[in-house]
Amino acid sequence: MRHPAPRLRRGSRRAAPGTIQSSPRSHRDRDRHRRQLVLRRFPGRAVIVALAVVGSYLAGSIPFGLIVARLATGKDVRAVGSGNIGATNVARAAGRTAAASTLLLDALKGFLPAFFASKSADSSSLGAACGVAAVVGHCFPVWLRFRGGKGVATGLGVTLALAPLAALCGAVVWALAWAIARISSVGSLAGAAAALLVAGATANRQVLVAVAAIVCIVAVRHRSNVRRLLSHEER
Protein backbone atom coordinates (compact mmCIF):
# COMPACT_ATOMS: atom_id res chain seq x y z
CA MET A 1 0.00 0.00 0.00
CA ARG A 2 1.46 3.34 -1.04
CA HIS A 3 1.40 6.18 1.44
CA PRO A 4 0.57 9.65 0.13
CA ALA A 5 3.52 12.02 -0.09
CA PRO A 6 3.59 14.65 2.65
CA ARG A 7 2.11 17.96 1.60
CA LEU A 8 4.34 21.00 1.63
CA ARG A 9 3.30 24.19 3.34
CA ARG A 10 2.46 27.11 1.13
CA GLY A 11 5.55 29.06 0.17
CA SER A 12 7.97 26.23 1.06
CA ARG A 13 10.12 24.41 -1.46
CA ARG A 14 11.34 20.87 -1.40
CA ALA A 15 15.10 20.50 -1.38
CA ALA A 16 16.46 18.99 -4.57
CA PRO A 17 17.75 15.41 -4.30
CA GLY A 18 21.39 15.27 -3.31
CA THR A 19 21.48 18.79 -1.87
CA ILE A 20 22.35 19.59 1.75
CA GLN A 21 19.98 21.87 3.57
CA SER A 22 21.63 24.76 5.39
CA SER A 23 21.70 24.44 9.15
CA PRO A 24 20.69 27.15 11.63
CA ARG A 25 24.39 27.56 12.36
CA SER A 26 25.13 28.39 8.73
CA HIS A 27 22.31 30.93 8.79
CA ARG A 28 23.84 32.58 11.86
CA ASP A 29 27.27 32.63 10.23
CA ARG A 30 25.80 34.20 7.09
CA ASP A 31 23.94 36.83 9.11
CA ARG A 32 27.09 37.61 11.09
CA HIS A 33 29.09 38.00 7.88
CA ARG A 34 26.41 40.28 6.44
CA ARG A 35 26.47 42.53 9.53
CA GLN A 36 30.25 42.73 9.36
CA LEU A 37 30.11 43.77 5.70
CA VAL A 38 27.52 46.44 6.45
CA LEU A 39 29.63 47.80 9.30
CA ARG A 40 32.77 47.87 7.15
CA ARG A 41 31.08 49.59 4.22
CA PHE A 42 29.14 52.09 6.30
CA PRO A 43 30.74 55.54 5.84
CA GLY A 44 30.36 56.41 9.51
CA ARG A 45 31.97 53.25 10.83
CA ALA A 46 34.88 55.16 12.37
CA VAL A 47 32.43 57.47 14.10
CA ILE A 48 30.48 54.52 15.53
CA VAL A 49 33.66 52.87 16.79
CA ALA A 50 34.86 56.13 18.34
CA LEU A 51 31.51 56.70 20.05
CA ALA A 52 31.52 53.14 21.39
CA VAL A 53 35.01 53.53 22.83
CA VAL A 54 34.30 56.96 24.33
CA GLY A 55 31.00 55.71 25.75
CA SER A 56 32.83 52.76 27.33
CA TYR A 57 35.36 55.12 28.89
CA LEU A 58 32.58 57.28 30.34
CA ALA A 59 30.77 54.21 31.67
CA GLY A 60 33.97 53.00 33.29
CA SER A 61 34.62 56.40 34.82
CA ILE A 62 31.45 56.32 36.96
CA PRO A 63 32.89 56.34 40.53
CA PHE A 64 30.60 53.75 42.09
CA GLY A 65 32.85 53.36 45.13
CA LEU A 66 32.56 57.05 45.92
CA ILE A 67 28.80 57.03 45.33
CA VAL A 68 28.08 53.88 47.34
CA ALA A 69 30.21 54.93 50.32
CA ARG A 70 28.63 58.37 50.39
CA LEU A 71 25.11 56.94 50.23
CA ALA A 72 25.88 54.38 52.93
CA THR A 73 27.71 56.54 55.45
CA GLY A 74 27.98 60.07 54.08
CA LYS A 75 31.77 59.70 54.02
CA ASP A 76 34.11 60.55 51.18
CA VAL A 77 35.99 57.30 50.60
CA ARG A 78 38.93 59.30 49.26
CA ALA A 79 39.51 60.65 52.77
CA VAL A 80 39.65 57.17 54.33
CA GLY A 81 42.43 54.60 54.34
CA SER A 82 44.35 54.52 51.07
CA GLY A 83 42.06 57.10 49.48
CA ASN A 84 41.22 54.67 46.68
CA ILE A 85 37.66 54.43 45.35
CA GLY A 86 37.79 50.64 44.91
CA ALA A 87 35.95 47.98 46.87
CA THR A 88 38.81 47.31 49.31
CA ASN A 89 38.89 50.87 50.57
CA VAL A 90 35.09 51.11 50.50
CA ALA A 91 35.09 48.18 52.95
CA ARG A 92 37.21 50.27 55.31
CA ALA A 93 34.97 53.30 54.95
CA ALA A 94 31.48 51.81 54.74
CA GLY A 95 31.58 48.09 55.52
CA ARG A 96 31.35 44.82 53.64
CA THR A 97 27.89 45.33 52.13
CA ALA A 98 28.93 48.59 50.52
CA ALA A 99 32.16 46.96 49.36
CA ALA A 100 30.28 44.06 47.76
CA SER A 101 27.96 46.50 45.99
CA THR A 102 30.95 48.46 44.73
CA LEU A 103 32.67 45.31 43.52
CA LEU A 104 29.58 44.22 41.58
CA LEU A 105 28.95 47.63 40.03
CA ASP A 106 32.59 48.12 39.08
CA ALA A 107 32.64 44.69 37.44
CA LEU A 108 29.41 45.40 35.55
CA LYS A 109 30.69 48.67 34.11
CA GLY A 110 33.51 46.68 32.56
CA PHE A 111 31.47 43.66 31.53
CA LEU A 112 28.57 45.42 29.81
CA PRO A 113 30.51 47.63 27.33
CA ALA A 114 32.83 44.79 26.33
CA PHE A 115 30.03 42.25 26.02
CA PHE A 116 27.60 44.36 24.00
CA ALA A 117 30.32 45.81 21.76
CA SER A 118 31.60 42.36 20.87
CA LYS A 119 28.09 41.01 20.24
CA SER A 120 26.62 43.95 18.35
CA ALA A 121 29.49 44.16 15.87
CA ASP A 122 30.41 40.47 15.99
CA SER A 123 33.94 41.72 16.45
CA SER A 124 36.24 40.80 19.29
CA SER A 125 38.40 43.79 18.31
CA LEU A 126 35.68 46.31 19.16
CA GLY A 127 34.78 44.46 22.33
CA ALA A 128 38.43 44.43 23.37
CA ALA A 129 38.84 48.15 22.67
CA CYS A 130 35.71 49.03 24.61
CA GLY A 131 36.78 46.82 27.50
CA VAL A 132 40.18 48.48 27.79
CA ALA A 133 38.51 51.89 27.54
CA ALA A 134 36.23 51.01 30.47
CA VAL A 135 39.23 50.05 32.62
CA VAL A 136 41.03 53.26 31.66
CA GLY A 137 37.89 55.17 32.63
CA HIS A 138 37.81 53.50 36.03
CA CYS A 139 41.48 54.18 36.73
CA PHE A 140 41.53 57.69 35.26
CA PRO A 141 37.99 59.11 35.56
CA VAL A 142 37.46 62.54 34.07
CA TRP A 143 35.01 63.37 36.88
CA LEU A 144 37.66 62.92 39.60
CA ARG A 145 40.56 64.69 37.90
CA PHE A 146 41.78 61.34 36.55
CA ARG A 147 42.34 59.90 40.04
CA GLY A 148 40.42 56.65 40.17
CA GLY A 149 40.68 53.05 41.23
CA LYS A 150 43.13 50.30 40.40
CA GLY A 151 41.10 48.49 37.76
CA VAL A 152 40.82 45.05 39.34
CA ALA A 153 37.03 44.64 39.49
CA THR A 154 36.43 46.44 36.20
CA GLY A 155 39.17 44.40 34.56
CA LEU A 156 37.57 41.25 35.91
CA GLY A 157 34.27 42.26 34.33
CA VAL A 158 35.91 42.92 30.96
CA THR A 159 37.76 39.61 31.06
CA LEU A 160 34.55 37.80 31.99
CA ALA A 161 32.90 39.22 28.87
CA LEU A 162 35.78 38.43 26.50
CA ALA A 163 37.51 35.38 28.03
CA PRO A 164 35.29 33.77 30.70
CA LEU A 165 37.69 30.94 31.51
CA ALA A 166 40.54 33.38 32.10
CA ALA A 167 38.30 35.48 34.36
CA LEU A 168 37.23 32.42 36.35
CA CYS A 169 40.81 31.25 36.85
CA GLY A 170 41.89 34.75 37.80
CA ALA A 171 39.12 35.02 40.38
CA VAL A 172 40.00 31.64 41.90
CA VAL A 173 43.70 32.55 42.13
CA TRP A 174 42.80 35.92 43.64
CA ALA A 175 40.70 34.22 46.32
CA LEU A 176 43.42 31.68 47.12
CA ALA A 177 46.19 34.28 47.26
CA TRP A 178 44.13 36.55 49.47
CA ALA A 179 43.22 33.66 51.76
CA ILE A 180 46.90 32.80 52.18
CA ALA A 181 48.42 36.28 52.43
CA ARG A 182 45.41 38.26 53.70
CA ILE A 183 46.64 41.16 51.57
CA SER A 184 44.33 42.47 48.85
CA SER A 185 47.09 43.64 46.53
CA VAL A 186 48.73 40.20 46.56
CA GLY A 187 45.47 38.59 45.50
CA SER A 188 44.85 41.22 42.83
CA LEU A 189 48.28 40.89 41.22
CA ALA A 190 48.27 37.10 41.41
CA GLY A 191 44.77 36.91 39.91
CA ALA A 192 45.69 39.31 37.10
CA ALA A 193 48.77 37.25 36.24
CA ALA A 194 46.74 34.02 36.22
CA ALA A 195 44.08 35.55 33.97
CA LEU A 196 46.75 36.67 31.51
CA LEU A 197 48.32 33.21 31.39
CA VAL A 198 44.99 31.51 30.75
CA ALA A 199 44.00 34.09 28.14
CA GLY A 200 47.29 33.47 26.38
CA ALA A 201 46.41 29.80 26.10
CA THR A 202 42.72 30.09 25.22
CA ALA A 203 41.82 33.50 23.74
CA ASN A 204 42.33 34.98 20.30
CA ARG A 205 44.90 37.67 19.60
CA GLN A 206 42.61 40.67 20.08
CA VAL A 207 41.33 39.45 23.43
CA LEU A 208 44.83 38.53 24.57
CA VAL A 209 46.09 42.02 23.75
CA ALA A 210 43.18 43.52 25.70
CA VAL A 211 43.79 41.32 28.73
CA ALA A 212 47.52 42.09 28.59
CA ALA A 213 46.78 45.82 28.46
CA ILE A 214 44.44 45.53 31.44
CA VAL A 215 47.01 43.57 33.43
CA CYS A 216 49.62 46.24 32.67
CA ILE A 217 47.24 48.97 33.87
CA VAL A 218 46.47 47.02 37.04
CA ALA A 219 50.18 46.47 37.69
CA VAL A 220 51.01 50.15 37.19
CA ARG A 221 48.18 51.18 39.49
CA HIS A 222 49.59 48.83 42.15
CA ARG A 223 53.16 50.15 41.98
CA SER A 224 52.92 51.76 45.43
CA ASN A 225 51.57 48.48 46.81
CA VAL A 226 54.50 46.62 45.27
CA ARG A 227 56.95 49.00 46.93
CA ARG A 228 55.28 48.42 50.29
CA LEU A 229 55.29 44.67 49.71
CA LEU A 230 59.01 44.73 49.03
CA SER A 231 59.61 46.70 52.21
CA HIS A 232 57.20 44.47 54.19
CA GLU A 233 54.92 47.41 54.96
CA GLU A 234 51.83 46.36 53.00
CA ARG A 235 48.75 45.50 55.02
Side-chain angles (χ1 to χ4, degrees), residues 19-160:
T19 61
I20 300 176
Q21 292 184 338
S22 59
S23 65
R25 183 180 182 86
S26 65
H27 284 300
R28 290 196 298 269
D29 293 340
R30 187 163 56 249
D31 292 341
R32 182 183 300 113
H33 181 64
R34 187 180 298 116
R35 288 196 297 270
Q36 289 175 342
L37 287 178
V38 170
L39 187 61
R40 289 171 184 170
R41 294 174 181 174
F42 185 66
R45 177 177 181 269
V47 176
I48 293 177
V49 171
L51 288 175
V53 172
V54 172
S56 300
Y57 167 83
L58 293 176
S61 67
I62 300 173
F64 283 120
L66 179 65
I67 296 170
V68 170
R70 185 160 289 174
L71 289 175
T73 64
K75 296 179 181 178
D76 187 339
V77 69
R78 295 171 296 178
V80 178
S82 65
N84 191 268
I85 63 171
T88 301
N89 202 44
V90 171
R92 300 186 186 106
R96 293 182 179 179
T97 301
S101 300
T102 300
L103 180 65
L104 176 61
L105 291 170
D106 281 349
L108 280 175
K109 71 182 184 182
F111 175 85
L112 293 177
F115 179 80
F116 285 113
S118 61
K119 297 301 180 183
S120 62
D122 292 307
S123 169
S124 56
S125 298
L126 182 58
C130 289
V132 173
V135 175
V136 171
H138 174 77
C139 296
F140 308 100
V142 64
W143 324 112
L144 302 180
R145 298 181 180 180
F146 305 102
R147 298 175 182 175
K150 297 186 177 180
V152 177
T154 307
L156 175 64
V158 173
T159 308
L160 183 62

Side-chain angles (χ1 to χ4, degrees), residues 47 79 146 157 168 173 207 218 223 232:
V47 176
F146 305 102
L168 177 61
V173 171
V207 172
V218 169
R223 60 189 183 278
H232 305 285

